[in-house]
Amino acid sequence: MSAPDTCDDRGVAGKSSVQKSARDMILSLGLIGLVAGVVWLFLPHDDSDPELKRVDYRVELLTARRAASYPVAAPEGLPKAWKATSVRYRGEEDEAWHLGFHTADGEYIGVEQSTRKPVLFIEEATQGAEKTDVTQKINGQTWTRYDGDHYDALVLQGKDGATTVVTGTAPFGQLTKMAQALRTE
């Protein structure tokens, strides 16, 4: 204890260093936040969808046409703005042919063919779309419409052992345009 006229400095240094440490921590956090904000401001951050690259499917098409037991279909004469974005042929998996396109307005259309059991293949290719009573003649063949929550489709059950499905998010007008463009040679 100190005398009444003397100054008691006990604990003052401790409070001062605690206050200084807290102030320094807050200033450091503020500086880190400022630097992070500046970095975020100058780094590019594009939230738009990436540009889809066009694929050349000619080699895969020739390979599929040589290997498949059915006439493999691919479109001719589509609008230039429609981009082929995916292609594959899996001979070991029921001779499955896939060719995917994106239209000018961002819709997806896929051409699917397979020798797999039609009920199973259509279910998978259309993502569960339901068969309707609506049919339409395209290039002299009768295609059946399927309506779905995700994809709509046009289905051609061929006499050659393969089922052809034109499916996607596009409206039936664009699906029909794709089906009209399909050629097998």
Side-chain angles (χ1 to χ4, degrees), residues 73-83 101-105 107-111 136-139 143 145 153-154 165-167 170-183:
E76 290 180 9
L78 290 175
K80 294 247 187 246
W82 289 25
K83 288 183 187 179
F101 282 82
H102 274 83
T103 66
D105 55 353
E107 299 294 342
Y108 170 76
I109 299 176
V111 176
Q136 61 187 93
K137 286 277 191 188
I138 300 173
N139 298 337
W143 294 69
R145 283 189 177 196
L154 295 171
V165 178
V166 176
T167 186
F172 278 109
Q174 290 180 332
L175 296 176
T176 299
K177 184 179 258 188
M178 176 62 81
Q180 289 170 335
L182 292 179
R183 303 290 180 266

Side-chain angles (χ1 to χ4, degrees), residues 6 13 18 25-26 28 35 44 51 62 71 78 86 105 108-109 118-119 140 147 160 166:
T6 61
V18 170
M25 188 171 59
I26 291 170
S28 295
V35 170
E51 180 70 22
L62 290 173
L78 290 175
S86 60
D105 55 353
Y108 170 76
I109 299 176
V119 172
D147 285 326
D160 52 22
V166 176

Side-chain angles (χ1 to χ4, degrees), residues 118-185:
V119 172
L120 299 174
F121 174 64
I122 294 168
E123 170 76 19
E124 182 179 308
T126 66
Q127 295 191 8
E130 297 289 325
K131 183 177 182 178
T132 69
D133 293 331
V134 180
T135 60
Q136 61 187 93
K137 286 277 191 188
I138 300 173
N139 298 337
Q141 298 177 309
T142 303
W143 294 69
T144 304
R145 283 189 177 196
Y146 281 67
D147 285 326
D149 293 333
H150 302 291
Y151 285 178
D152 291 328
L154 295 171
V155 176
L156 175 66
Q157 291 187 333
K159 298 172 183 84
D160 52 22
T163 302
T164 303
V165 178
V166 176
T167 186
T169 60
F172 278 109
Q174 290 180 332
L175 296 176
T176 299
K177 184 179 258 188
M178 176 62 81
Q180 289 170 335
L182 292 179
R183 303 290 180 266
T184 54
E185 289 300 323

Side-chain angles (χ1 to χ4, degrees), residues 63-102:
T63 302
R65 284 183 171 166
R66 280 190 219 123
S69 64
Y70 59 87
V72 175
E76 290 180 9
L78 290 175
K80 294 247 187 246
W82 289 25
K83 288 183 187 179
T85 57
S86 60
V87 60
R88 72 181 160 273
Y89 175 72
R90 294 189 179 130
E92 69 282 355
E93 294 180 21
D94 300 313
E95 298 183 77
W97 167 248
H98 161 82
L99 186 55
F101 282 82
H102 274 83

Side-chain angles (χ1 to χ4, degrees), residues 2 6-21:
S2 53
T6 61
C7 178
D8 184 7
D9 289 335
R10 286 181 292 174
V12 172
K15 288 183 181 176
S16 172
S17 66
V18 170
Q19 289 173 341
K20 185 176 179 186
S21 294

